Amino acid sequence: MHRILFVCLGNICRSPLAEGILRRQAKEAGIALVVDSAGTGDWHIGQLPDRRAVRVGIAHGCQMSMTARQVGSRDFEEFDLILGMDLRNVQDLCAWPGAKPEKVRLTRSFDADATTQEVPDPYYGDTRDFEAVADMLETACRGVLASLSHP
Ligand code: 4NP
């Protein structure tokens, strides 16, 4: 079974949305998948996602009851794909103790039509920024699922 970890900075906005969306899509497609998320930062450990991410995630049919955690060295053993939201995430992941850079990619690299590489941080934005992030993630996650069926 494939094991996929999404990573952002705080693990309260983008990566929990990605986790919820990919999990929902995999369930709809009847594909068994392990999906999790984590942050490079430690500020929000143990917290529920940001309330704006929860609202937008629920509107996208996702369960949003995950709690934030920080990336750990074991993640590089336990997951076969580790998807960062932006270039800073990818850079931080590749420099992590125990990193396996060959497992690390940008989430939007699975969206062939993406006009920018990164999923922008919506933390200081408004609801529309969260909705834009969720739409980007819907497309990128479809690309992730497609890549698993047609590697
Ligand atoms: P995320 O958003 O990385 O998408 O979860 C952020 C959440 C919190 C902070 C930054 C980004 N922060 O600085 O606390």
Side-chain angles (χ1 to χ4, degrees), residues 2-136:
H2 293 280
R3 302 177 65 93
I4 296 168
L5 179 69
F6 290 103
V7 174
C8 62
L9 185 58
N11 193 210
I12 55 168
C13 300
R14 292 165 292 176
S15 62
L17 270 172
E19 175 187 344
I21 286 169
L22 182 60
R23 197 173 278 152
R24 192 211 75 227
Q25 288 184 1
K27 191 174 169 190
E28 286 167 356
I31 296 170
L33 216 56
V34 174
V35 187
D36 198 4
S37 67
T40 57
D42 62 2
W43 314 287
H44 299 285
I45 291 172
Q47 293 179 13
L48 288 169
D50 184 285
R51 59 189 163 74
R52 298 162 296 177
V54 171
R55 203 181 308 128
V56 170
I58 286 171
H60 279 250
C62 305
Q63 278 199 315
M64 294 296 294
S65 52
M66 57 286 274
T67 52
R69 71 173 181 88
Q70 191 174 26
V71 172
S73 305
R74 277 181 51 190
D75 288 323
F76 294 97
E77 309 295 332
E78 291 183 3
F79 292 90
D80 17 74
L81 198 53
I82 301 178
L83 300 178
M85 294 294 142
D86 58 35
L87 290 165
R88 179 180 168 190
N89 302 149
V90 166
Q91 205 169 24
D92 290 344
L93 284 166
C94 289
W96 210 268
K100 294 203 171 147
E102 69 276 13
K103 293 185 172 184
V104 178
R105 286 179 62 172
L106 276 169
T107 303
R108 292 197 91 190
S109 69
F110 287 90
D111 176 359
D113 299 323
T115 47
T116 56
Q117 289 183 288
E118 303 183 292
V119 179
D121 185 351
Y123 188 60
Y124 295 104
D126 59 23
T127 302
R128 273 172 304 178
D129 298 302
F130 280 77
E131 284 165 352
V133 162
D135 289 342
M136 284 175 206

